[in-house]
Amino acid sequence: MTASPTTIKDVSTVSGITVRLAGDSGDGMQLLGTQLTNTSALAGNDVATFPDFPAEIRAPRGTRAGVSGFQVRFASEEIFTPGDHLDALVVMNPAAMVTNLGDLRKGGILIANEDGFNEKEFKLAKVESNPLDANVIEEVYRVIKVPMTALTREAVAAHGLSQKIADRCKNFFAMGLVYWLFGRSLDPTLRFIQDKFGKKPDIAAANEAALRAGWAYGETTEAFGESYQVEAAELEKGTYRNMMGNQALAWGLVAASKLSSKDMFYGTYPITPASDILHELTRFKNFGVRTFQAEDEIAAVCATIGAAFGGTMAVTASSGPGIALKAEAMGLGMMLELPMIVINVQRGGPSTGLPTKTEQSDLLQCMFGRNGESPLPILAPRSPGDCFDIAVEAWRIATECMCPVVILSDGYIANGSEPWKIPDVAKLPKIVVTHPEGADPDEPFMPYARDENLARPWAIPGTEGLMHRLGGLEKEDGTGNVSYDPANHQHMTDTRAAKVSRIAERIPDQDVYGETSGDVLVISWGGTYGSCHTAVRNCRNAGHSVSHAHLRYINPMPKNLGELMKGFNKVVVPELNTGQLRMLLRAKHLVDCIGVNKIQGKPFAVSELVEAIEEHVSTAEGGKSKTGVRSKAG
């Protein structure tokens, strides 16, 4: 393998670049985006990504519904989002162009595979003529038309591939061109090609040839006068790797199992976008991880309950439709008071909804979607890397409280990626788990006796002297015997609720970016963190009195949150739903929160949040009363 080439053209240094790669779902855009991301991370840039792909396994080629895209932002400064507007857009066909062009900034670079723009493709994309020929396109954007298919065939001709296989290499041609344009090294991708295709030397050689041909095209064509370079970011010292949210969840679960000296059982049924957690965990059998793909969601969660009863770290995962099927058994796990983790990687709903798009609409489902009074702790990661910490924290709470804990991730976090600082495993705090070793023969075992956290003992089946009953019927306090006594049911219901609410005493107070009082407080949760944080930062830089509080603990909420909210004239809650957290905040803290809501399968753009915040800043002046209620002037 020869070394990566270097350019002799002019190089312009910029602080950051946002590029989107779009084509048919079979064009390899996800692979191209992943390689660009990894290469940028290895170059030391801060990176944020946003993959976007159809729900169908093989979506109709050439249609707008079949477009697959991957957005990457890499920068020399700390970033929190994959960017609002594109600096460059690479499209492989008309459908990709017309569905993505609106996000390309004025003066941005549009690179099009002109071989993919023909009458058949125009018809499939439902355009009357070649969109590349529109005068306005040339006036607004820098348009670079590249015959990628023809050039790829020429580049790989010596390797004896069929035309169909040769055409599949055009994503590597596009990759090489993008790498040249943005000063990316070919070396990481050359190593990837050898690792991925090394057993098929003709395919490996052809992909390498296409990659180098794309780079050479950028270097030799007169269409590009210069390339761009993004310097390494000044990140906190340490060892980093590019990490996706689902991958980080899997690693966090493995870490939690080792920190608690527990083997892990993962029972699940495949569903988008949670399936990659299963795929990742199957690689860790050497760490005591046992994965089980059940015949359906109900079997998966019931097997997980059985594993928890047996004394194992028990985890199950799904998305909204699967969580609906798991709901009864989640209530059973709460009634049995067994430690387990339930992961919900949210997607667009209701029903099958938008399986590959992101949304935050399962919060109320996880809060209340079980019969009876069935409270469960709920945590939500804020970013792909944060998924690791959330997994560890969820297992700590589950074992401390002896109850199922819900992790609410979402499709944006699950499939997005960022540089993740690898922690020093030796410094991670242990999760202490104890089991009763046996009962006094003169004293009967009390399976529902409680400690200071109101948690009952986790007795391992088969331990002498610890025989006890479990089931979904109400338990007698202490003995665990079936009880229909009204007063006992009231007591047990109150106790289970108190066990969850007391968690607020052991979690950190809610932190704030900015002042603890002022005009506007923005409260966010889940994958909206990056957009909200960046929007608030921009507003503060513009001189506005705006602060940001991001919730990782949803149930219970941090104990200082109510007082914090009352320190501001207005509280704005952006959510990718119709206002579910807003409803909970209003009900619990009696503060009239203002919603900023979006349900389009896409994350918030920073610009739309800045606009919403500034609108409320402009009307928040005039103060509030001492009780925290805005005055009429506000």
Side-chain angles (χ1 to χ4, degrees):
M1 183 180 72
T2 57
S4 179
T6 56
T7 183
I8 59 173
K9 287 187 175 181
D10 292 338
V11 178
S12 177
T13 300
V14 294
S15 61
I17 290 289
T18 301
V19 58
R20 185 181 299 166
L21 317 153
D24 270 321
S25 57
D27 282 340
M29 296 297 100
Q30 302 301 318
L31 173 62
L32 199 166
T34 300
Q35 286 301 305
L36 177 58
T37 302
N38 292 340
T39 299
S40 298
L42 288 170
N45 301 138
D46 198 3
V47 181
T49 70
F50 179 48
D52 188 24
F53 42 87
E56 293 86 353
I57 293 175
R58 180 64 70 184
R61 288 191 61 83
T63 65
R64 300 187 186 201
V67 173
S68 175
F70 197 109
Q71 183 168 320
V72 184
R73 184 182 183 194
F74 46 97
S76 58
E77 57 191 13
E78 187 177 22
I79 56 176
F80 300 95
T81 75
D84 280 11
H85 303 291
L86 308 176
D87 298 302
L89 172 63
V90 180
V91 297
M92 307 302 282
N93 59 20
M97 177 177 166
V98 297
T99 56
N100 289 279
L101 190 61
D103 294 328
L104 183 62
R105 65 170 176 81
K106 184 177 181 181
I109 301 173
L110 173 64
I111 300 175
N113 173 23
E114 63 178 342
D115 291 336
F117 286 70
N118 53 54
E119 291 299 327
K120 178 183 177 181
E121 296 293 331
F122 301 155
K123 184 177 180 180
L124 290 170
K126 296 184 179 180
V127 295
E128 296 180 357
S129 59
N130 190 343
L132 288 173
D133 293 339
N135 292 333
V136 67
I137 299 296
E138 297 281 358
E139 294 173 0
V140 176
Y141 310 108
R142 290 177 56 193
V143 181
I144 312 296
K145 303 175 186 178
V146 184
M148 294 186 192
T149 305
L151 291 172
T152 300
R153 291 175 183 175
E154 181 179 345
V156 306
H159 301 286
L161 304 182
S162 68
Q163 181 172 300
K164 180 179 180 180
I165 300 299
D167 287 351
R168 290 181 181 175
C169 298
K170 67 178 180 290
N171 63 326
F172 280 96
F173 183 96
M175 198 181 303
L177 178 55
V178 170
Y179 281 15
W180 176 85
L181 183 60
F182 300 120
R184 308 289 89 177
S185 171
L186 299 185
D187 292 342
T189 299
L190 290 172
R191 292 194 296 269
F192 166 80
I193 290 172
Q194 290 304 314
D195 291 340
K196 180 75 172 177
F197 305 105
K199 294 182 179 179
K200 299 178 179 179
D202 53 339
I203 300 294
N207 284 330
E208 179 176 341
L211 180 71
R212 292 185 180 277
W215 195 97
Y217 183 86
E219 179 70 8
T220 57
T221 183
E222 296 182 359
F224 297 102
E226 63 180 0
S227 62
Y228 304 90
Q229 180 66 41
V230 178
E231 301 297 333
E234 293 185 6
L235 301 175
E236 183 182 352
K237 186 177 180 180
T239 302
Y240 289 79
R241 63 164 292 150
N242 186 50
M243 183 69 83
M244 298 177 67
N246 276 345
Q247 184 183 25
L249 264 177
W251 285 33
L253 293 172
V254 174
S257 74
K258 305 314 291 183
L259 291 170
S260 59
S261 300
K262 285 287 180 185
D263 286 348
M264 181 171 62
F265 175 89
Y266 185 80
T268 191
Y269 181 78
I271 186 170
T272 300
S275 296
D276 283 337
I277 302 174
L278 171 64
H279 303 159
E280 185 69 17
L281 285 175
T282 57
R283 301 173 53 229
F284 296 110
K285 293 180 181 179
N286 57 313
F287 284 104
V289 176
R290 300 294 178 264
T291 55
F292 171 59
Q293 180 175 316
E295 67 268 28
D296 56 44
E297 298 281 7
I298 298 172
V301 67
C302 288
T304 302
I305 291 174
F309 176 58
T312 298
M313 178 182 173
V315 186
T316 188
S318 190
S319 188
I323 296 298
L325 292 170
K326 294 180 188 289
E328 181 182 0
M330 289 169 65
L332 175 60
M334 186 279 307
M335 194 70 165
L336 300 178
E337 299 189 51
L338 287 170
M340 49 190 283
I341 295 176
V342 180
I343 300 171
N344 181 355
V345 186
Q346 300 167 98
R347 69 189 203 184
S351 187
T352 310
L354 304 174
T356 60
K357 310 302 180 183
T358 195
E359 205 164 283
Q360 292 181 296
S361 54
D362 294 350
L363 175 54
L364 296 183
Q365 177 192 34
C366 290
M367 281 288 293
F368 306 119
R370 294 169 296 282
N371 62 297
E373 297 291 337
S374 185
L376 293 178
I378 299 175
L379 286 72
R382 71 182 192 181
S383 66
D386 190 40
C387 287
F388 179 92
D389 296 324
I390 282 289
V392 175
E393 178 71 352
W395 183 236
R396 182 187 67 80
I397 292 175
T399 55
E400 282 185 356
C401 299
M402 285 293 290
C403 67
V405 175
V406 177
I407 295 177
L408 267 178
S409 181
D410 58 58
Y412 174 67
I413 292 174
N415 295 315
S417 65
E418 65 178 355
W420 175 68
K421 183 182 177 182
I422 301 174
D424 183 345
V425 177
K427 294 182 179 179
L428 294 177
K430 298 292 184 182
I431 300 175
V432 179
V433 177
T434 59
H435 301 284
E437 297 181 357
D440 186 334
D442 297 327
E443 294 287 340
F445 174 55
M446 303 293 280
Y448 281 83
R450 300 185 183 278
D451 63 13
E452 65 277 6
N453 295 328
L454 298 181
R456 73 175 190 86
W458 191 3
I460 304 298
T463 305
E464 186 175 358
L466 301 186
M467 184 181 296
H468 61 285
R469 297 182 182 185
L470 282 182
L473 295 174
E474 182 60 277
K475 311 295 183 297
E476 183 181 61
D477 186 25
T479 68
N481 294 330
V482 173
S483 173
Y484 294 97
D485 179 67
N488 177 77
H489 180 53
Q490 177 79 54
H491 169 71
M492 294 295 279
T493 300
D494 292 344
T495 299
R496 289 187 291 261
K499 179 168 64 172
V500 174
S501 65
R502 282 192 186 185
I503 296 171
E505 302 297 325
R506 306 191 301 278
I507 62 176
D509 282 349
Q510 180 60 49
D511 59 353
V512 187
Y513 170 64
E515 290 74 34
T516 56
S517 63
D519 286 344
V520 174
L521 174 66
V522 176
I523 297 181
S524 60
W525 70 281
T528 60
Y529 168 77
S531 297
C532 290
H533 182 82
T534 306
V536 169
R537 183 180 64 185
N538 293 350
C539 288
R540 290 178 60 80
N541 289 341
H544 298 308
S545 175
V546 183
S547 299
H548 179 212
H550 183 84
L551 302 184
R552 296 172 78 242
Y553 299 89
I554 309 297
N555 190 41
M557 297 178 188
K559 60 181 182 296
N560 68 322
L561 182 61
E563 287 303 312
L564 177 65
M565 294 170 64
K566 292 175 182 177
F568 291 83
N569 294 341
K570 288 191 175 184
V571 176
V572 176
V573 186
E575 298 180 79
L576 299 179
N577 56 43
T578 57
Q580 296 186 15
L581 178 64
R582 182 177 81 234
M583 179 190 299
L584 297 177
L585 291 172
R586 280 176 166 177
K588 184 171 180 60
H589 299 294
L590 303 181
V591 173
D592 186 17
C593 304
I594 301 165
V596 178
N597 303 102
K598 176 178 178 178
I599 314 174
Q600 300 176 13
K602 300 190 295 184
F604 282 114
V606 173
S607 57
E608 61 188 346
L609 289 179
V610 168
E611 181 180 355
I613 293 169
E614 289 182 337
E615 175 186 348
H616 294 297
V617 167
S618 66
T619 60
E621 298 176 356
K624 58 181 182 61
S625 70
K626 292 182 180 179
T627 62
V629 179
R630 295 194 311 276
S631 66
K632 290 183 180 179

